[in-house]
Amino acid sequence: MELKIFKTLWGHQGSLDDAIADCLEHGFNGIEGQVASGTQCEFKDKLSGSNLNLIAEICTAGSYVPDRLAAPQVHLESLRRQVEPALESDPLFFTVIAGCDAWPVTKSVDFFGKAMDMANELGVIMSFETHRSRSFFNPWVTRDILAQLPDLKLTCDFSHWCVVCERLIDTEPEIISLCASRAHHVHARVGYDQGPQVPHPAAPEYQEALEAHERWWSQIWQAQSARGLEFSTMTPEFGPDGYLHCEPYTRKPCADLKEINYWMAKRERQQFSHWQRVKENRLNPLALDK
């Protein structure tokens, strides 16, 4: 199995051409982000011309935080209204931030069932993110929804759950295992007990949080490999908008966002290579003696 790493457009300062240049310089396999109306053909032409893929991001009924009063039907209409034109950009798949944290499980199950039907109708893959303010905002609600929708695919961003639960979620091994069995895509951001984004994942004071996330991601790789996937996708997704720590008064960022995501990409390529070696050695114990 191969690891494909994508550059996020969240926090990107510059043009699509600049983003493509970053991908080519730093070894990314493509771009993940929202495709603005009227730019679908530009994305398709420029990315395919550079041999890069696109993961198209969709937020239903609002931005990252939904309209609290929007009914499930409004979310479904919002989803279709964004997915259909984005098909012209030829995305590898859609990562979808959907639903609402205030819905009861029954309402979420009905909504995601219909969203999956839409994906099948349109012939696309939709992978639904574990995101705060949305239906998959905590481990236990996610578990209960997944139990009723065995074919639902997840974009796993466990950093959200760390702050929602106010702890590293090693406390929920059964749910991590369940999510790994449904994981289609990973957002590689490191959260901690008081926030969805550590100031810098290389900082020694956040080593425990980094290594916890990497344990969970390794479980995902193992589950994906067992399912026979040819490749796994991951997007380092450290971002701005209150996520990036800043000095008070000056609002000067405490770290360089681009550098953090480049560091994360390099780190996870190394981790994936290590995971593969360990996996191969387990399958072939004689390899340990070589």
Short mmCIF file of all heavy atoms in Angstrom, two decimals, residues 76 79-80 109-124 126 128 149 151-152:
data_model
loop_
_atom_site.label_atom_id
_atom_site.label_comp_id
_atom_site.label_asym_id
_atom_site.label_seq_id
_atom_site.Cartn_x
_atom_site.Cartn_y
_atom_site.Cartn_z
N LEU A 76 -28.92 18.29 2.71
CA LEU A 76 -28.86 17.46 1.50
C LEU A 76 -28.87 18.31 0.24
O LEU A 76 -28.11 18.06 -0.70
CB LEU A 76 -30.03 16.48 1.49
CG LEU A 76 -29.95 15.32 2.48
CD1 LEU A 76 -31.28 14.59 2.56
CD2 LEU A 76 -28.83 14.35 2.10
N LEU A 79 -25.52 19.90 -0.09
CA LEU A 79 -24.53 18.91 -0.54
C LEU A 79 -24.61 18.72 -2.05
O LEU A 79 -23.59 18.80 -2.75
CB LEU A 79 -24.79 17.58 0.19
CG LEU A 79 -23.86 16.42 -0.15
CD1 LEU A 79 -22.41 16.76 0.17
CD2 LEU A 79 -24.29 15.16 0.63
N ARG A 80 -25.79 18.48 -2.56
CA ARG A 80 -25.95 18.27 -4.00
C ARG A 80 -25.54 19.52 -4.79
O ARG A 80 -24.88 19.42 -5.84
CB ARG A 80 -27.39 17.89 -4.33
CG ARG A 80 -27.62 17.58 -5.81
CD ARG A 80 -29.06 17.19 -6.10
NE ARG A 80 -29.39 15.90 -5.54
CZ ARG A 80 -29.18 14.74 -6.14
NH1 ARG A 80 -28.57 14.71 -7.33
NH2 ARG A 80 -29.54 13.61 -5.57
N VAL A 109 -28.59 9.55 11.36
CA VAL A 109 -28.58 8.31 10.60
C VAL A 109 -29.40 8.46 9.32
O VAL A 109 -28.97 8.05 8.23
CB VAL A 109 -29.12 7.14 11.45
CG1 VAL A 109 -29.38 5.91 10.59
CG2 VAL A 109 -28.12 6.80 12.57
N ASP A 110 -30.55 9.07 9.42
CA ASP A 110 -31.40 9.27 8.24
C ASP A 110 -30.70 10.17 7.23
O ASP A 110 -30.68 9.89 6.02
CB ASP A 110 -32.73 9.88 8.66
CG ASP A 110 -33.67 10.08 7.48
OD1 ASP A 110 -34.11 9.07 6.89
OD2 ASP A 110 -33.95 11.25 7.13
N PHE A 111 -30.09 11.26 7.72
CA PHE A 111 -29.39 12.18 6.82
C PHE A 111 -28.23 11.50 6.10
O PHE A 111 -28.10 11.59 4.87
CB PHE A 111 -28.88 13.39 7.60
CG PHE A 111 -27.86 14.19 6.83
CD1 PHE A 111 -28.24 15.02 5.79
CD2 PHE A 111 -26.51 14.09 7.14
CE1 PHE A 111 -27.29 15.74 5.06
CE2 PHE A 111 -25.56 14.81 6.42
CZ PHE A 111 -25.96 15.63 5.38
N PHE A 112 -27.36 10.82 6.84
CA PHE A 112 -26.18 10.21 6.22
C PHE A 112 -26.56 9.06 5.30
O PHE A 112 -25.89 8.82 4.29
CB PHE A 112 -25.17 9.78 7.27
CG PHE A 112 -24.40 10.94 7.87
CD1 PHE A 112 -24.69 11.39 9.15
CD2 PHE A 112 -23.43 11.59 7.14
CE1 PHE A 112 -24.01 12.47 9.69
CE2 PHE A 112 -22.75 12.67 7.67
CZ PHE A 112 -23.04 13.11 8.95
N GLY A 113 -27.64 8.35 5.62
CA GLY A 113 -28.12 7.33 4.71
C GLY A 113 -28.51 7.92 3.37
O GLY A 113 -28.17 7.38 2.30
N LYS A 114 -29.19 9.05 3.40
CA LYS A 114 -29.59 9.72 2.16
C LYS A 114 -28.38 10.32 1.44
O LYS A 114 -28.33 10.34 0.19
CB LYS A 114 -30.64 10.78 2.46
CG LYS A 114 -31.98 10.19 2.88
CD LYS A 114 -32.98 11.26 3.28
CE LYS A 114 -34.31 10.63 3.67
NZ LYS A 114 -35.30 11.64 4.17
N ALA A 115 -27.42 10.82 2.20
CA ALA A 115 -26.20 11.36 1.58
C ALA A 115 -25.43 10.25 0.87
O ALA A 115 -24.89 10.45 -0.23
CB ALA A 115 -25.33 12.03 2.64
N MET A 116 -25.38 9.06 1.47
CA MET A 116 -24.72 7.93 0.83
C MET A 116 -25.47 7.50 -0.43
O MET A 116 -24.84 7.13 -1.44
CB MET A 116 -24.61 6.78 1.82
CG MET A 116 -23.66 7.07 2.98
SD MET A 116 -23.87 5.93 4.38
CE MET A 116 -23.44 4.38 3.63
N ASP A 117 -26.78 7.55 -0.38
CA ASP A 117 -27.56 7.26 -1.59
C ASP A 117 -27.23 8.25 -2.70
O ASP A 117 -27.13 7.87 -3.88
CB ASP A 117 -29.06 7.33 -1.27
CG ASP A 117 -29.53 6.17 -0.42
OD1 ASP A 117 -28.83 5.14 -0.33
OD2 ASP A 117 -30.62 6.29 0.19
N MET A 118 -27.07 9.52 -2.33
CA MET A 118 -26.71 10.54 -3.31
C MET A 118 -25.34 10.23 -3.93
O MET A 118 -25.15 10.36 -5.15
CB MET A 118 -26.69 11.93 -2.67
CG MET A 118 -26.46 13.06 -3.64
SD MET A 118 -26.18 14.66 -2.83
CE MET A 118 -27.68 14.84 -1.85
N ALA A 119 -24.39 9.84 -3.09
CA ALA A 119 -23.06 9.50 -3.60
C ALA A 119 -23.14 8.36 -4.60
O ALA A 119 -22.50 8.39 -5.65
CB ALA A 119 -22.14 9.15 -2.43
N ASN A 120 -23.93 7.35 -4.27
CA ASN A 120 -24.09 6.21 -5.19
C ASN A 120 -24.75 6.64 -6.49
O ASN A 120 -24.36 6.21 -7.58
CB ASN A 120 -24.91 5.12 -4.51
CG ASN A 120 -24.16 4.45 -3.37
OD1 ASN A 120 -22.94 4.41 -3.37
ND2 ASN A 120 -24.89 3.92 -2.41
N GLU A 121 -25.76 7.51 -6.38
CA GLU A 121 -26.46 8.01 -7.57
C GLU A 121 -25.51 8.76 -8.50
O GLU A 121 -25.55 8.61 -9.72
CB GLU A 121 -27.60 8.92 -7.13
CG GLU A 121 -28.29 9.65 -8.27
CD GLU A 121 -29.03 10.90 -7.81
OE1 GLU A 121 -29.40 10.99 -6.62
OE2 GLU A 121 -29.23 11.81 -8.63
N LEU A 122 -24.64 9.59 -7.90
CA LEU A 122 -23.73 10.42 -8.69
C LEU A 122 -22.45 9.68 -9.08
O LEU A 122 -21.64 10.20 -9.86
CB LEU A 122 -23.38 11.69 -7.91
CG LEU A 122 -24.55 12.64 -7.61
CD1 LEU A 122 -24.10 13.78 -6.70
CD2 LEU A 122 -25.14 13.19 -8.91
N GLY A 123 -22.25 8.50 -8.51
CA GLY A 123 -21.06 7.72 -8.83
C GLY A 123 -19.78 8.30 -8.26
O GLY A 123 -18.73 8.24 -8.90
N VAL A 124 -19.87 8.86 -7.04
CA VAL A 124 -18.70 9.46 -6.40
C VAL A 124 -18.49 8.85 -5.02
O VAL A 124 -19.37 8.19 -4.47
CB VAL A 124 -18.86 10.99 -6.26
CG1 VAL A 124 -19.03 11.63 -7.62
CG2 VAL A 124 -20.03 11.35 -5.35
N MET A 126 -17.93 9.79 -1.17
CA MET A 126 -18.03 10.83 -0.14
C MET A 126 -17.50 10.25 1.17
O MET A 126 -17.94 9.20 1.61
CB MET A 126 -19.48 11.29 0.05
CG MET A 126 -20.07 12.02 -1.13
SD MET A 126 -21.72 12.66 -0.74
CE MET A 126 -22.29 13.16 -2.38
N PHE A 128 -16.94 11.28 5.14
CA PHE A 128 -17.50 12.25 6.07
C PHE A 128 -16.57 12.46 7.28
O PHE A 128 -16.16 11.50 7.93
CB PHE A 128 -18.89 11.78 6.52
CG PHE A 128 -19.86 11.66 5.37
CD1 PHE A 128 -20.06 10.45 4.73
CD2 PHE A 128 -20.54 12.78 4.90
CE1 PHE A 128 -20.94 10.34 3.66
CE2 PHE A 128 -21.42 12.69 3.82
CZ PHE A 128 -21.61 11.46 3.21
N LEU A 149 -24.94 2.35 9.94
CA LEU A 149 -24.59 2.63 8.54
C LEU A 149 -23.26 1.95 8.22
O LEU A 149 -22.20 2.60 8.19
CB LEU A 149 -24.50 4.13 8.30
CG LEU A 149 -25.80 4.93 8.48
CD1 LEU A 149 -25.52 6.42 8.46
CD2 LEU A 149 -26.82 4.56 7.41
N ASP A 151 -21.72 0.97 5.68
CA ASP A 151 -20.94 1.32 4.49
C ASP A 151 -20.43 2.75 4.50
O ASP A 151 -19.80 3.20 3.52
CB ASP A 151 -21.78 1.09 3.24
CG ASP A 151 -22.13 -0.38 3.03
OD1 ASP A 151 -21.28 -1.23 3.37
OD2 ASP A 151 -23.24 -0.68 2.56
N LEU A 152 -20.69 3.49 5.56
CA LEU A 152 -20.27 4.89 5.61
C LEU A 152 -18.76 4.99 5.72
O LEU A 152 -18.13 4.26 6.49
CB LEU A 152 -20.95 5.61 6.77
CG LEU A 152 -20.74 7.13 6.83
CD1 LEU A 152 -22.02 7.82 7.30
CD2 LEU A 152 -19.59 7.49 7.76
#
